[in-house]
Amino acid sequence: MSAVTNKDHAELAEDFNRDENRVDWHDETLWWIRQKRDRIVHQIPDWELLRETASQIKHNVLSNMHSYLQQFEANALANGVHVHWALNAQEHNQIIRQLLKDKQITHMVKSKSMLTEECGLNEYLAEHGIEVIDSDLGERIVQLAKEPPSHIVLPCIHKKKEEIGDLFHMYLGTPSNVADPQILTEAARQHLREIFLTRRAALTGVNFAVAETGEFVVCTNEGNADMGAHLADIHIASMGIEKLIPERKHLGVFLRLLTRSATGQPITTYSSHFRKPRDGKEIHIVLVDNGRSEQLGRPDFRNSLKCIRCGACMNTCPVYRRSGGHSYHTAVAGPIGSILAPNLDMEKYADLPFASTLCGSCSNVCPVKIDIHDQLYKWRQVLVKKGYAPTAKKIGMQLMAATLSSPALYHTAGKAGRAALRYIPFAINNKLNPWYKHRDMPQAPKQSFRDWYLKNNS
Amino acid sequence: MRVGLFVPCYVDQFYPNAAIATLQLLRKLGVEVEYPLNQTCCGQPMANSGFEHLTNGCNELFVKNFSGFDYIVAPSGSCVLHVREHLHDKDETAAQEIRSKVYELTSFLTDILQVKQLKARFPHKVGMHQSCHGQRGLKLSQMSELVAPQFSKPGSLLNMVQDIELIELNRIDECCGFGGTFCVTEEAVSVKMGKDRVADHVKHGAEYITGVDMSCLMHMEGILNRQQSPVKVIHIAEILNAE
């Protein structure tokens, strides 16, 4: 689910920045996780080799997607798993609704799955009278708050424990003004236990699907995916087609990378393998494309499909930390989301590749070495060429290009600009100048370097 | 060795002292430096805004101005990175040659001139801002995200300066939020990033903030001045050239 908004990233970020203390808190919280990540990756001498290996394995997958998918399907079917294919979000949602309808199930428990957020599954099922309860604690909290997750790994990282206390007081019957994590977690535990015990259908995401064996692996820190899947009659797994890895042994690479990059833990608390249904139970896997084939066909952007959704690029991104996940108005926020989203809808997400300083920290933390900041630069070129640039910016850039292409024009404009700053500063230092809002303009020197050089060097 | 001095447009207009220091420093080190008079801008402001297709005029001019030098040196990591990665021209051989010969000042001093000592003195507490394009793009120093040996080209040069006191920072290489046109299109986040970066330096007692990119320093200076802070910004060339 993406936040319903007509505002672009800059406007939403400005809203977020109205409460500076909150921005500081958000920034520090995520920076703390980035530091945890740094500490643990520096304990592994082969960290960079591990990243390179993972990147190469994913490269192989992307280059042979077709055959690995077929291999996975054949093995999954042989294991007694039902396999469904969905071209897009709508098909994915319809398939799941039909499965529940066939079993006359109206209540489902779900573990965290960013793919279902991308597809808007919860809203779709709600419209069709099916109740979905998210069982990941963070996800349950944002669900109660009627908000989308603001981070792919830490969905409610933007919420303070006091706010969570208020939500639990309102919906789960805890006393008011309780912010003790122990008490709140216990309340969530009791609430979710009831859900796990009564739901006949459970949906999980997929972190890795192994072509060689037809099994899939779900990683959680709370064990909620297991509780849902083990207790329900029918386990539905939603999986983006890029989640494949060729062989079981490759899990050793990815499981070591995933949580170290995400939260600074050596491994997720639960890395659960699902291979075949128990007697009398069913496992269904829905393989979803939803634009992925198209991205695979864009040479400049195909590497974005290597993403294992660890969220490290968000934690490290100085823009994300100071604008919050909701400012990206898409299911997958942050740097990686900004290169994935325009593939789905260029017009709607044309602002996102510009929500970056291209500092490159995202590419450096990425465990599968996606060239994120280079792709942001490339998306900007594509989007402008397709016409998704504001008119004022277009005109400004044309003027700038014309001025800078002519030494004479450039010298005249430079002189005029400096003179204006010196003699009529109010023409520049005003509300219309976004630079001036919170920053002073540079002092204008009497002469440019060129003027100095001409006087002192000829 | 003939070196073409490439002075980025905003340095030419607003920070001539950074360019003068660069020129003097290179000459002190025995380099024959020329400043091609018809230079304007590398085209990065357009390219990073998605208008790379409008940079042909700048590219052509750049190739015309800087062909034939042994090296091209600029006091700016960001502009150098742009030229290295994105300079193309009708005369692609000439453009390619320029791309391989363009150097940011501190990497030129470290890698080409292999400077081992400097006659500079700067008796102040200085915080070094690692500009992202220089650091991560041109790999001027080790990056906190990577597991790799420590090094810093600007840092090792600053350590040759007499009486300088380099301060420690909490976040050694976080972006200041300048980001070219980002500083106006995303004004709110840009300013917040700048304020936080400046605060890290101020908290640790910096009298000066230095770096290889005047653009980041310009942004931080704008914030410092608005806060009426006594902390000043200074381009690294001015410190390395200070006596």
Side-chain angles (χ1 to χ4, degrees), chain A residues 334-348:
Chain A
I336 183 70
S338 298
I339 54 178
L340 293 173
N343 174 60
L344 286 173
D345 187 336
M346 283 196 212
E347 190 175 1
K348 195 170 165 196

Side-chain angles (χ1 to χ4, degrees), chain A residues 6-16 18 327, chain B residues 185-186:
Chain A
N6 292 318
K7 292 184 174 180
D8 66 9
H9 180 271
E11 292 166 306
L12 293 164
E14 193 176 355
D15 292 346
F16 188 71
R18 294 228 164 85
S327 65
Chain B
T185 54
E186 289 264 3

Side-chain angles (χ1 to χ4, degrees), chain A residues 85-119:
Chain A
W85 296 85
L87 178 63
N88 51 34
Q90 195 190 359
E91 279 189 22
H92 163 264
N93 293 348
Q94 282 167 350
I95 288 166
I96 290 166
R97 182 186 164 213
Q98 193 60 48
L99 286 172
L100 298 171
K101 206 171 161 187
D102 291 347
K103 303 263 176 208
Q104 295 172 322
I105 295 173
T106 52
H107 294 71
M108 181 169 74
V109 64
K110 189 167 130 262
S111 83
K112 201 168 94 59
S113 147
M114 289 315 294
L115 176 61
T116 58
E117 295 291 336
E118 177 186 318
C119 295

Side-chain angles (χ1 to χ4, degrees), chain A residues 139-342:
Chain A
E139 186 104 353
R140 182 67 186 130
I141 292 165
V142 291
Q143 192 182 27
L144 291 175
K146 300 182 178 61
E147 287 175 16
S150 72
H151 187 293
I152 56 174
V153 175
L154 315 154
C156 78
I157 196 73
H158 60 294
K159 287 232 175 291
K160 297 189 178 183
K161 52 186 190 294
E162 292 76 15
E163 296 166 318
I164 296 165
D166 290 345
L167 280 169
F168 280 17
H169 171 61
M170 205 181 324
Y171 295 104
L172 304 184
T174 53
S176 58
N177 298 318
V178 171
D180 181 345
Q182 186 104 30
I183 296 173
L184 296 176
T185 315
E186 185 57 31
R189 181 194 292 263
Q190 299 300 336
H191 160 64
L192 288 170
R193 181 170 298 167
E194 160 71 18
I195 303 294
F196 287 130
L197 289 170
T198 53
R199 297 305 188 258
R200 288 168 51 217
L203 188 144
T204 71
V206 170
N207 288 89
F208 305 101
V210 185
E212 177 194 29
T213 59
E215 76 194 292
F216 58 91
V217 176
V218 182
C219 301
T220 71
N221 277 322
E222 297 163 21
N224 57 307
D226 306 57
M227 302 261 252
H230 292 161
L231 290 165
D233 299 334
I234 166 171
H235 172 187
I236 305 168
S238 286
M239 164 187 157
I241 53 171
E242 81 285 9
K243 294 287 172 131
L244 275 177
I245 58 170
E247 295 177 42
R248 216 169 192 231
K249 67 178 183 194
H250 297 139
L251 280 168
V253 174
F254 290 101
L255 290 175
R256 292 180 76 199
L257 282 168
L258 178 68
T259 328
R260 280 185 170 84
S261 300
T263 55
Q265 297 164 262
I267 195 165
T268 40
T269 316
Y270 301 86
S271 302
S272 311
H273 298 238
F274 295 94
R275 187 159 179 171
K276 52 176 70 170
R278 283 170 296 150
D279 287 343
K281 310 278 183 177
E282 288 177 21
I283 296 180
H284 292 257
I285 183 149
V286 188
L287 288 148
V288 185
D289 186 313
N290 205 34
R292 285 159 178 76
S293 297
E294 193 163 356
Q295 190 85 325
L296 191 63
R298 301 183 200 270
D300 283 343
F301 305 113
R302 78 194 288 265
N303 275 349
S304 62
L305 295 175
K306 290 181 177 178
C307 178
I308 57 171
R309 302 289 193 271
C310 68
C313 61
M314 302 173 189
N315 302 342
T316 204
C317 178
V319 175
Y320 175 91
R321 277 188 266 110
R322 291 176 185 80
S323 62
H326 291 155
S327 65
Y328 293 83
H329 58 92
T330 172
V332 180
I336 183 70
S338 298
I339 54 178
L340 293 173

Side-chain angles (χ1 to χ4, degrees), chain B residues 139-207:
Chain B
K139 308 204 174 0
L140 296 185
S141 51
Q142 161 56 9
M143 298 147 261
S144 60
E145 302 92 7
L146 299 181
V147 178
Q150 290 297 324
F151 73 97
S152 168
K153 294 176 190 180
S156 61
L157 289 165
L158 286 174
N159 278 321
M160 294 175 199
V161 176
Q162 216 187 318
D163 299 332
I164 195 168
E165 192 184 332
L166 290 172
I167 58 159
E168 297 282 322
L169 295 170
N170 280 356
R171 299 189 190 180
I172 55 169
D173 54 6
E174 180 156 298
C175 177
C176 69
F178 172 68
T181 50
F182 180 87
C183 73
V184 295
T185 54
E186 289 264 3
E187 176 269 326
V189 178
S190 172
V191 164
K192 181 59 184 149
M193 289 168 71
K195 279 163 87 171
D196 291 352
R197 207 78 297 280
V198 161
D200 198 357
H201 288 267
V202 172
K203 195 164 61 191
H204 291 88
E207 295 169 61

Side-chain angles (χ1 to χ4, degrees), chain A residues 9 20 24 27 34 48 321-322 361 364 377 380-381 404 410 418 436 438-440 449-450 457, chain B residues 12-13 27 37 40 47-48 50 52 144-145 147 171 174-175 183 186-187 192 196 219 222 226:
Chain A
H9 180 271
E20 190 166 354
D24 288 336
D27 167 54
R34 156 78 206 271
E48 299 302 334
R321 277 188 266 110
R322 291 176 185 80
S361 186
N364 274 355
Y377 177 90
R380 294 179 185 190
Q381 314 306 325
L404 296 173
Y410 161 75
R418 275 182 289 119
Y436 186 69
H438 295 105
R439 282 165 293 209
D440 282 2
F449 171 74
R450 186 176 183 272
N457 268 276
Chain B
D12 176 41
Q13 295 297 331
R27 284 190 176 157
L37 286 166
T40 59
N48 279 8
E52 201 186 309
S144 60
E145 302 92 7
V147 178
R171 299 189 190 180
E174 180 156 298
C175 177
C183 73
E186 289 264 3
E187 176 269 326
K192 181 59 184 149
D196 291 352
H219 164 65
R226 182 59 59 92

